[in-house]
Structures are given as structure tokens and as C-alpha cells.
């Protein structure tokens, strides 16, 4: 089986979907498939670049087309490369903002149809439209309305044989549009590694014995103040600390300040090697996520925490989907609500869902293409 993946950009470490696609391709090569990746709107190259990128020790042929090209130029470059590769499948890794800086890729459906030739289409929906929750401002809801119609046009034009997504919310939204999608879980970018020795001290950081870990970006307006105040009232966890690791973003300073105000110890480790991140997550008592529960299945941080069998506490701002039921039950995740801290703390079951490893998800992806339902 030969597959060409189409995404927005392919700069390593600069584009999450590009990194995801590269890792998936590396695994598919291990499973005996022939693959290639084309970035159709690359923000990180000038002109057109044909190169091989490496993942899991495998070399992946890539065509990177700069977003500075006209649509006609990009279309011709892409069409020629795909005709040369002659793939059985084309896999569109879709995010609205990957194909247009304003998230409005008008005309993309027509271009993709012409590019596709006789290849069969697969679409992976990483993100749908913005403004799909009641709390969104009117401008976001209007842009989301336009994005939804663009997505409907893409789906109608490409007639994909297989549609995948990562969240039940997106699956339900696609069903409302008349399309059946199946879940392809997000794999972790942090493999569960075994340290050669106990790493209770890492480059001057003393890792506490009883702690929650916050890994990845912190979303705004998470009710961390209420959470910590309630946490301090629980006598069974007087020594529970917070360890932050990875790229947490601008909100981290606010979190550290709130923790100090409430006399909760914080260890801010910043960016660390994968092996250290794995160790810190593995030895935590709880994982903390600020991604709303309805979107948490597409969180790489949660995937990493579940890879390490860690119960996750979701501390997020209010986020209520419009037109579909809210997702209230994600295995291994407790959604924090004010006054319900004990429910979060009582969730100590180590949870590791089956099928979230890169190899198992690669196999599941291939199975879905071979036996579309």
C-alpha cells in the first residue's frame, strides 16, 4: 500500500500536525508501507523543497511547498509530485488554519480534487471549526460558521472513503453533517521509558515524593485558584506538591503565584529531555490538564499521561458545545467542578487505555484503510 499524506507545514518541532504525520509515517514504514508527505502551505520554507525527513530511523520523502506561492503554482507542484508517486491513498491531515492563515481555505476543495486524480481519499480531522461552544464570542461563532461550510464542501467534493478524528465531540459534529467518522486515538509523543537509575534529583531540581504534574500548555481562565484552595482543605493530602514540566506558556507565572499564595510547593522544571519528562510523569500521583473535557482527547499532554498510566484531573474554563451533547465521561479523566475536589483526589486508579501506542495506532490506521466501514 502506498500513501501520500497532505498537511500544512513540515518544520520539525514547529508544527504539531506535521510532527504527528512524520511519526505516523515512520511507524507505517516499519509495518511495510510506502509513504510520503507533502506540506501544501509551508510557513517555514522559501520556494519548494524536496527532502527526506527522518522518523524512527526511517527516511520519509517529503515535498514542502511554501505558502508564498500562488494557488496555481502550489496546485501544479503538488499535482506533479503526486502523479510521480502514484499513491493508492491520499490522506488529508486537516486543520483549517494549516491551509490558510485566517483559517478560511476557500477553494481548497477544488484544488484537492484536481490533485487527487484516481487516488482514494482518507481524511483525518485534527480540528474542525472554531466557535462551537456557547462561551465563544460572536466573531468566533461567525468565523466558525464559514469554516463549517468550507469543511462541508471539502467532504462533499473529496468523498473520502475513510474519515477519522480524535474526539467524540468531533465525531458527533461530523455525524450531524451526514458523515460517519471513527476514532483514531492520539498517540503519545513521550514514550514510557525506564530510567537507568532513580532520578529524584534532575539538574538541581529536587522532585518531591508526592506530587501532581502539569505537562504542556496551560490554557487561560482555568479555575486553578479554587482548585488549590479546596485541595489545601483536604487533610489526607497535606504534602501534595505541583511539578510543572515542558512548555507551559505565559499562564505559568500566574499558576506559580497562586500556588505560593496558598502555600503549595511548586517545582518548575521547564523543558527537559524526553526521558526526564517520562520519569516525572510516571512517578506523579495525578496529571493535570487544562484542556476542556470535550476536547481533551486531542491533547498530546493527556495522551502522554495516559501512556504512563496516570489518572488525569481536568481543570478548565467552562466550555459547552453547541448543538451536541457534552462529553462527560472520558476514561481515566476526572472533570473538576467547584466543591468536588474529593472526587478528583479519590481517582487514584492508574489508567492506561489499550491501543494508544504508536505501533498499535499505526496498525489501526492501516486496518481502517483496508476494511473501511
Amino acid at each position: 500500500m502506498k500513501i501520500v499524506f497532505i498537511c500544512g507545514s513540515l518544520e520539525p518541532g514547529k508544527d504539531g500536525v506535521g510532527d504527528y504525520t512524520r511519526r505516523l509515517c515512520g511507524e507505517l514504514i516499519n509495518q511495510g508501507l510506502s509513504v510520503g508527505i507533502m506540506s501544501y502551505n509551508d510557513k517555514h520554507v522559501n520556494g519548494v523543497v524536496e527532502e527526506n525527513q527522518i522518523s524512527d530511523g526511517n527516511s520519509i520523502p517529503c515535498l514542502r511547498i511554501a505558502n508564498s506561492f500562488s494557488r496555481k503554482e502550489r496546485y501544479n507542484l503538488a499535482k506533479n509530485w503526486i502523479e510521480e508517486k502514484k499513491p493508492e491513498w491520499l490522506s488529508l491531515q486537516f486543520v483549517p488554519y494549516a491551509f490558510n492563515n485566517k483559517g478560511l481555505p476557500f477553494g481548497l476543495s477544488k484544488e484537492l480534487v484536481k490533485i487527487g486524480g484516481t487516488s482514494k481519499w482518507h481524511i483525518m480531522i485534527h480540528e474542525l471549526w472554531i466557535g462551537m461552544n456557547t462561551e465563544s464570542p460572536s466573531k468566533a461563532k461567525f468565523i466558525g460558521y464559514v469554516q463549517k461550510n468550507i469543511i462541508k464542501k471539502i467532504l462533499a467534493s473529496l468523498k473520502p472513503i475513510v474519515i477519522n478524528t480524535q474526539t467524540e465531540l468531533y465525531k458527533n459534529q461530523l455525524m450531524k453533517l451526514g458523515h460517519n467518522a471513527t476514532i483514531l486515538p492520539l498517540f503519545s509523543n513521550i514514550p514510557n521509558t525506564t530510567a537507568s537509575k532513580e532520578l529524584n534529583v534532575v539538574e538541581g531540581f529536587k522532585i518531591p515524593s508526592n506530587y501532581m504534574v502539569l505537562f504542556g500548555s496551560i490554557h487561560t481562565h482555568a479555575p486553578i485558584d479554587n482548585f488549590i484552595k479546596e485541595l489545601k482543605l483536604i487533610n489526607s493530602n497535606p504534602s501534595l506538591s505541583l511539578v510543572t514540566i515542558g512548555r507551559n506558556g505565559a499562564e505559568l507565572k500566574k499558576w506559580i503565584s497562586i500556588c505560593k499564595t496558598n502555600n503549595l510547593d511548586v517545582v518548575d522544571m521547564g523543558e527537559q529531555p524526553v526521558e526526564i519528562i517520562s520519569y516525572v510523569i510516571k512517578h506523579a500521583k495525578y496529571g493535570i490538564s487544562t484542556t476542556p473535557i470535550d476536547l481533551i482527547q486531542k491533547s498530546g499532554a493527556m495522551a502522554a499521561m495516559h501512556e504512563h498510566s496516570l489518572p488525569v484531573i481536568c481543570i478548565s474554563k467552562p466550555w459547552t458545545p453547541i448543538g451536541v451533547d457534552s462529553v462527560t465521561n472520558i476514561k481515566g479523566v476526572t472533570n473538576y467542578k467547584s466543591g468536588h475536589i474529593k472526587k478528583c483526589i479519590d481517582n487514584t486508579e492508574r489508567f492506561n487505555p489499550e491501543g494508544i501506542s504508536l505501533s498499535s495506532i499505526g496498525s489501526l490506521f492501516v486496518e481502517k484503510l483496508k476494511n473501511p466501514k
Side-chain angles (χ1 to χ4, degrees):
M1 185 184 296
K2 182 179 287 189
I3 309 170
V4 166
F5 291 79
I6 302 174
C7 59
S9 295
L10 268 174
E11 185 69 13
K14 300 292 185 180
D15 186 275
V17 173
D19 292 343
Y20 167 94
T21 306
R22 188 184 309 102
R23 288 201 69 210
L24 179 59
C25 283
E27 173 58 32
L28 294 179
I29 292 173
N30 287 338
Q31 297 191 19
L33 278 72
S34 175
V35 299
I37 314 175
M38 179 179 66
S39 55
Y40 192 67
N41 188 51
D42 208 306
K43 304 174 180 67
H44 304 282
V45 294
N46 294 316
V48 60
V49 175
E50 192 161 5
E51 64 184 14
N52 288 333
Q53 293 190 357
I54 305 299
S55 181
D56 200 22
N58 293 312
S59 181
I60 305 162
C62 299
L63 181 74
R64 303 177 65 181
I65 305 172
N67 65 351
S68 58
F69 278 116
S70 69
R71 290 168 62 172
K72 184 176 180 180
E73 288 172 323
R74 278 188 287 158
Y75 154 73
N76 285 328
L77 288 164
K79 187 173 187 295
N80 291 338
W81 198 69
I82 289 173
E83 286 178 350
E84 177 188 322
K85 297 296 180 185
K86 295 181 175 61
E88 178 184 352
W89 285 90
L90 288 171
S91 174
L92 177 64
Q93 303 291 306
F94 184 77
V95 179
Y97 290 89
F99 296 97
N100 178 271
N101 290 341
K102 295 182 179 180
L104 299 170
F106 294 111
L108 181 63
S109 58
K110 290 182 180 179
E111 295 169 36
L112 292 176
V113 167
K114 293 176 181 177
I115 288 169
T118 59
S119 299
K120 293 178 283 189
W121 279 99
H122 163 266
I123 298 182
M124 177 65 182
I125 302 288
H126 292 274
E127 292 182 9
L128 281 174
W129 54 88
I130 65 171
M132 66 169 64
N133 60 307
T134 57
E135 297 82 4
S136 291
S138 298
K139 182 179 179 180
K141 290 177 181 175
F142 175 75
I143 294 172
Y145 173 80
V146 179
Q147 289 176 328
K148 182 194 290 189
N149 282 285
I150 292 172
I151 291 167
K152 288 167 68 175
K153 180 68 174 177
I154 291 172
L155 292 169
S157 299
L158 298 187
K159 298 179 175 60
I161 295 174
V162 179
I163 304 173
N164 290 142
T165 190
Q166 293 157 348
T167 74
E168 292 293 335
L169 172 68
Y170 288 174
K171 177 182 175 181
N172 293 339
Q173 293 283 22
L174 288 163
M175 187 176 297
K176 283 191 67 179
L177 297 182
H179 297 276
N180 291 323
T182 57
I183 298 293
L184 186 69
L186 180 65
F187 51 77
S188 171
N189 278 328
I190 307 296
N192 192 337
T193 60
T194 302
S196 58
K197 60 179 179 179
E198 289 298 300
L199 299 173
N200 63 320
V201 178
V202 179
E203 296 181 357
F205 295 105
K206 180 67 169 71
I207 301 174
S209 59
N210 188 30
Y211 63 93
M212 307 172 289
V213 63
L214 173 65
F215 170 55
S217 298
I218 303 173
H219 296 277
T220 58
H221 305 303
I224 181 61
D225 199 353
N226 287 344
F227 177 82
I228 291 178
K229 285 177 180 177
E230 289 188 37
L231 181 66
K232 296 298 288 185
L233 295 176
I234 297 181
N235 295 326
S236 60
N237 288 284
S239 62
L240 196 63
S241 304
L242 176 67
V243 174
T244 65
I245 195 166
R247 300 175 187 173
N248 303 127
E251 282 288 293
L252 179 60
K253 289 183 179 179
K254 174 184 173 181
W255 277 53
I256 291 175
S257 175
I258 291 172
C259 288
K260 288 182 176 178
T261 299
N262 290 278
N263 298 313
L264 185 78
D265 291 335
V266 183
V267 179
D268 174 22
M269 299 184 68
E271 294 186 46
Q272 295 288 341
V274 168
E275 295 78 11
I276 301 300
I277 296 173
S278 175
Y279 179 90
V280 170
I281 294 176
K282 184 186 301 184
H283 289 82
K285 189 167 185 179
Y286 308 97
I288 300 295
S289 173
T290 59
T291 301
I293 191 77
D294 287 277
L295 301 172
I296 203 168
Q297 289 170 292
K298 72 184 190 77
S299 164
M302 192 201 74
M305 289 186 277
H306 276 175
E307 171 84 5
H308 292 76
S309 304
L310 193 61
V312 176
I313 301 172
C314 176
I315 308 172
S316 80
K317 65 182 178 182
W319 202 98
T320 311
I322 299 170
V324 295
D325 292 336
S326 182
V327 178
T328 58
N329 184 25
I330 301 294
K331 289 184 179 180
V333 180
T334 307
N335 196 24
Y336 167 71
K337 301 290 184 183
S338 181
H340 293 82
I341 186 68
K342 193 172 186 303
K343 180 181 178 182
C344 298
I345 298 304
D346 286 347
N347 175 33
T348 57
E349 179 184 0
R350 292 269 167 174
F351 179 76
N352 185 4
E354 295 181 2
I356 66 166
S357 70
L358 176 57
S359 61
S360 61
I361 289 174
S363 297
L364 180 59
F365 172 77
V366 174
E367 179 61 28
K368 287 180 182 295
L369 297 192
K370 289 182 176 178
N371 298 291
K373 294 179 181 179

